[in-house]
Amino acid sequence: MDCDILVVGAGLSGLVAAAEAADRGLRVCVIDQEGEQNLGGQAFWSLGGLFFIDSPEQRRMGIRDTIDLARQDWLGSAGFDRPEDYWPRHWADAYLDFAAGEKRSWLHQQGMRWFPVVGWAERGGSRADGHGNSVPRFHITWGTGPAVLAPFIRRVREAEGKGLLSFRFRHQVDQLVVTNGAVTGARGTVLAADTAPRGAATSRFPESEFEIAAGAVIVASGGIGGNHDLVRKNWPVERLGPAPKFMVAGVPQYVDGRMIAITQAAGGDVINGDRMWHYTEGLRNFDPIWPNHGIRILPGPSSFWCDADGNRFDAPAMPGFDTLATLKAIRARGDEYSWFILNKAIIKREFALSGSEQNPDLTGKNIRLLLKRLGRNPPGPVQAFMDKGEDFVVRDTLEDLVAGMNELSGEHRLGIHHIRAQIEARDRQVNNAFGKDAQITAIRGARRFLGDRLMRTAKPHRLLASSAGPLIGVRLHILTRKTLGGLHTDLSARVLDATNRPVPGLYAAGEVSGFGGGGVHGYNALEGTFLGGCLFSGRVAGRSVGA
């Protein structure tokens, strides 16, 4: 054998698995079709949000969380309803125990720290036992995605220095080698060197061939979000309507899903391929890194949200509440985009942009820059999109704003009288401390949480108040992101075949396995659980493989 363990994919889950396996004295080889500049994969670009239960950060902010409440939220969101959800259910229970137990201390011991204000992302619908987080659980890592990767990059580099681990970059797997029914390695193409910057598209020019023999293989190759043809092929039409003809890419092009079919050919089974997680608040990046690069707005709850014809969405399709419900509402009307209408008072308090590169204060651990978020103007990256982004319209009057939005879309579907009537009706609900508008009620509820009152939710006010201007219209595209289904695995991260039996020598971790089990999230995700799913499933695979 060339190595004891071959890890396919040098993203977060692959690095965790490799570090854990090397700690056990196993000889590990990590291969990836990208160059060394992309070590860490798409986790590098993340905001670094992690899901903890009853953390010190929560308790300091007066948040009462329990594993029972978290399990209620998880199961209400997942909606497990298929026979093949047996292992995903078990993975969910195991992950909840991890998130309420040693997850934080394990990461803290490795040097990770978190921003003290806990975020409240994906608040869900309208029922206690339905989708969404009942309490804030979104812990932003101090240093964002690069800081999540740092402990594991350090560990694999230390193992490399000891001769226990090696990297082979620009190695594209074309086939898993199967010997007497067991997976014993991989063969494929060595791609020509490419010095494109991190995240940018790289060439696929072949240079030579390779074959690596191993005692076992861990597939940690990511999802399908960068391959829009594959996204459309798996799109759940019966649940979300027809797949959009146009979407922006929330992940680099190398998140292509190639290894899913390759692993299937070696005997692995895929379940829940129709479950996926895409956002509705995507912007076209004015300074793209990868092709069709999209940036997601992480909105507070106050923007007026309407479809392409200017019809306001009903609850729970409100900013920050229910991602897939809003996606379904958009596609049910045949639209591929929607609109936010807001003002400066809202955007400076409520708009954040997803990604490490869009948050230089958190990524750079720069407290002075961070304090500017409390100032009178929007954060620098948000202001840059207002100034340069093709999806923003800024005007002083509603008439001029609607005219600009129509000009931007080129479809002229928005009527000023229709828009004004809805916004004025909403504004009348602000005149009292009570009312019947679900969004205004939600805003007031959000501000009862100190973190939202300080940083994420503007004080309720009339959207058309001149003192809160200028007015802003934002065109929102559908943005691809996560694969919720994937390779079917048991609680030891062993890949199962179509008869639910482990394929000897074959393991999987991270998004390619639906973050565990072939779909630990079910139909809906609670924010902060994607990186956590990579950490947990990678740890399980690295500790189980070769045992």
Side-chain angles (χ1 to χ4, degrees), residues 126-313:
S126 56
R127 289 190 356 222
D129 58 353
H131 169 56
N133 284 296
S134 297
V135 298
R137 297 191 178 103
F138 192 75
H139 298 69
I140 297 176
T141 303
W142 188 231
T144 67
V148 175
L149 287 167
F152 303 100
I153 291 177
R154 182 185 68 246
R155 289 174 61 188
V156 296
R157 290 301 192 189
E158 289 173 352
E160 185 181 29
K162 296 174 182 177
L164 285 171
L165 186 145
S166 63
F167 286 102
R168 298 193 189 181
F169 296 104
R170 299 295 284 166
H171 279 54
Q172 177 182 273
V173 173
D174 298 321
Q175 182 183 15
L176 293 177
V177 178
V178 180
T179 306
N180 296 325
V183 175
T184 57
R187 61 173 62 100
T189 304
V190 179
L191 303 174
D194 193 320
T195 59
R198 178 189 282 272
T202 57
S203 75
R204 291 295 179 263
F205 295 124
E207 193 170 74
S208 61
E209 296 179 347
F210 75 90
E211 182 168 341
I212 300 173
V217 174
I218 300 173
V219 178
S221 55
I224 66 174
N227 185 339
H228 289 189
D229 289 338
L230 202 52
V231 169
R232 293 187 185 96
K233 180 180 178 180
N234 288 279
W235 189 272
V237 175
E238 73 286 353
R239 291 201 317 276
L240 298 179
K245 295 179 181 178
F246 174 78
M247 300 174 282
V248 292
V251 293
Q253 193 175 51
Y254 57 70
V255 187
D256 56 17
R258 287 185 75 255
M259 282 303 302
I260 296 175
I262 291 170
T263 309
Q264 284 181 292
D269 191 30
V270 171
I271 61 172
N272 300 319
D274 62 326
R275 293 177 181 171
M276 52 185 67
W277 189 258
H278 306 304
Y279 292 107
T280 52
E281 312 99 331
L283 305 172
R284 300 196 74 164
N285 194 347
F286 66 87
D287 186 20
I289 297 170
W290 53 81
N292 193 26
H293 188 175
I295 296 293
R296 186 206 170 195
I297 298 170
L298 283 74
S302 301
S303 296
F304 176 92
W305 201 347
C306 64
D307 66 16
D309 290 310
N311 300 303
R312 188 185 183 194
F313 290 118

Side-chain angles (χ1 to χ4, degrees), residues 46-124:
S46 75
L47 188 58
L50 292 174
F51 176 100
F52 296 134
I53 301 168
D54 192 28
S55 69
E57 291 81 10
Q58 286 176 303
R59 293 194 293 272
R60 281 195 291 267
M61 299 201 74
I63 301 165
R64 298 179 181 179
D65 199 8
T66 66
I67 191 170
D68 289 336
L69 182 60
R71 182 174 288 108
Q72 175 179 298
D73 289 344
W74 192 290
L75 295 179
S77 298
F80 294 126
D81 61 359
R82 297 172 175 174
E84 56 266 39
D85 285 330
Y86 175 84
W87 283 115
R89 286 176 184 267
H90 282 279
W91 271 91
D93 284 337
Y95 179 72
L96 288 166
D97 288 339
F98 179 60
E102 64 176 312
K103 177 182 177 182
R104 187 184 181 281
S105 60
W106 177 61
L107 296 173
H108 191 275
Q109 288 168 5
Q110 296 182 74
M112 288 176 60
R113 300 294 184 267
W114 297 275
F115 187 59
V117 179
V118 184
W120 197 353
E122 200 62 24
R123 304 175 192 219

